[in-house]
Amino acid sequence: MAVPWVAVGVGVVLLAPLLTRFFRNLWTREPYQFFPLAVAAALLLAVRTWQETDPGPARPEGWVRWTVLIPAVLVAVAAAALDSPWTGMVGAWLLAMAMAMGTGGWLRLRAFGPALVMFGIMLPPPFGMEENLTRWLRVQAVQWSSRILDAVGVPHVRNGNILDLPVREIMVEEACSGINSTLSVAAAAVFYHFWMRRPWWWLGVTLPLSLLFVFAGNTARIAGGSVLLQSTGIDLFKQPFPHEFVGLVVIAVCLLLIVSLDHLMQ
């Protein structure tokens, strides 16, 4: 038992400075500034799981522990050698799996699944996938907002990510297009699903619909703000207020819709 825990200690020492940089960098990226809440949610799920699961005799043999621990330590060493905070986060996720396995076998590892999922939500996707999603959301938000403005008779010209109204131009940025609220609401939907102990397959229904709620809310935010600006001169796109306040209202409405959807599915 001593050797695996020594290996865990080595992994923690290697990953600690990389994780510090990872979270510092994450805070500079607005879409991921929800990560302190995600960390708290993962810890809540982990503590509840630890209190409720009794691994009993279902502890793995030594070679099973090593098959989980060795990849975690190798990734930690690679992250330190490459000086890669992103790889360090992956190594920390694998190390958490190894610790769950080492203290309670497959039973505890399976029980810690929700906490590990919440822990992994904070990891940005590789290969620029986030930027591609941001561009796609922005294009869709502008297109659908323009259609709504056409339907209600508001004169405008759509030019890329700009809605040109007679009163002024509106630049649809990342916050308006929904990338910030999309990630926050998705994380909240996953946590609510796990905390309420819903079946796994429910997540396949609630998560896509929660993302649809966010997209519809942000599209209505852009179109409604444009109509209000053109008709009354009230500008909801001013930074930081009321722009941020309206964004928080959209998130709050989406969270209420998620809870409502959950009750409906019951």
Side-chain angles (χ1 to χ4, degrees):
M1 289 294 295
V3 174
W5 286 111
V6 169
V8 169
V10 171
V12 170
V13 170
L14 291 174
L15 294 175
L18 294 175
L19 291 180
T20 301
R21 287 171 50 197
F22 174 83
F23 288 115
R24 187 185 299 122
N25 295 337
L26 208 61
W27 184 252
T28 64
R29 304 171 65 174
E30 190 174 355
Y32 288 94
Q33 288 180 354
F34 70 92
F35 80 84
L37 296 177
V39 172
L43 291 176
L44 282 174
L45 291 170
V47 169
R48 186 177 72 172
T49 299
W50 185 272
Q51 294 174 344
E52 294 179 353
T53 56
D54 179 14
R59 297 182 180 275
E61 298 295 332
W63 67 271
V64 177
R65 288 197 302 268
W66 281 108
T67 57
V68 180
L69 185 57
I70 287 177
V73 174
L74 290 177
V75 172
V77 172
L82 297 172
D83 194 29
S84 171
W86 190 91
T87 308
M89 184 63 175
V90 175
W93 192 81
L94 293 174
L95 199 62
M97 289 183 59
M99 293 174 66
M101 171 68 74
T103 57
W106 294 109
L107 177 63
R108 179 157 285 172
L109 178 60
R110 180 179 178 182
F112 267 89
L116 292 171
V117 170
M118 287 302 305
F119 191 58
I121 284 177
M122 297 174 286
L123 188 66
F127 310 120
M129 295 174 62
E130 178 188 345
E131 288 76 11
N132 294 334
L133 176 61
T134 300
R135 285 192 293 268
W136 183 83
L137 283 174
R138 187 183 297 123
V139 169
Q140 296 300 317
V142 174
Q143 289 180 350
W144 282 95
S145 299
S146 178
R147 293 174 183 175
I148 294 175
L149 294 178
D150 287 336
V152 298
V154 174
H156 70 284
V157 175
R158 178 168 61 88
N159 182 17
N161 298 325
I162 299 175
L163 291 175
D164 190 359
L165 302 176
V167 289
R168 77 171 181 91
E169 291 182 344
I170 297 175
M171 177 67 180
V172 179
E173 301 175 350
E174 291 184 7
C176 293
S177 63
I179 182 63
N180 299 348
S181 51
T182 296
L183 297 178
S184 302
V185 170
V190 172
F191 172 72
Y192 183 82
H193 174 88
F194 288 142
W195 188 257
M196 299 302 292
R197 306 178 191 274
R198 301 306 185 214
W200 280 86
W201 64 268
W202 280 32
L203 196 59
V205 177
T206 56
L207 186 56
L209 286 178
S210 66
L211 299 180
L212 182 61
F213 295 155
V214 178
F215 180 78
N218 281 284
T219 302
R221 170 189 183 185
I222 298 170
S226 301
V227 172
L228 191 64
L229 176 62
Q230 179 63 31
S231 59
T232 67
I234 298 176
D235 193 348
L236 297 181
F237 299 99
K238 288 183 178 179
Q239 295 280 6
F241 188 88
H243 183 271
E244 297 296 337
F245 176 76
V246 176
L248 292 176
V249 170
V250 170
I251 293 178
V253 171
C254 291
L255 296 180
L256 290 175
L257 288 173
I258 290 172
V259 176
S260 178
L261 176 63
D262 178 74
H263 285 287
L264 177 64
M265 292 182 64
Q266 293 185 71

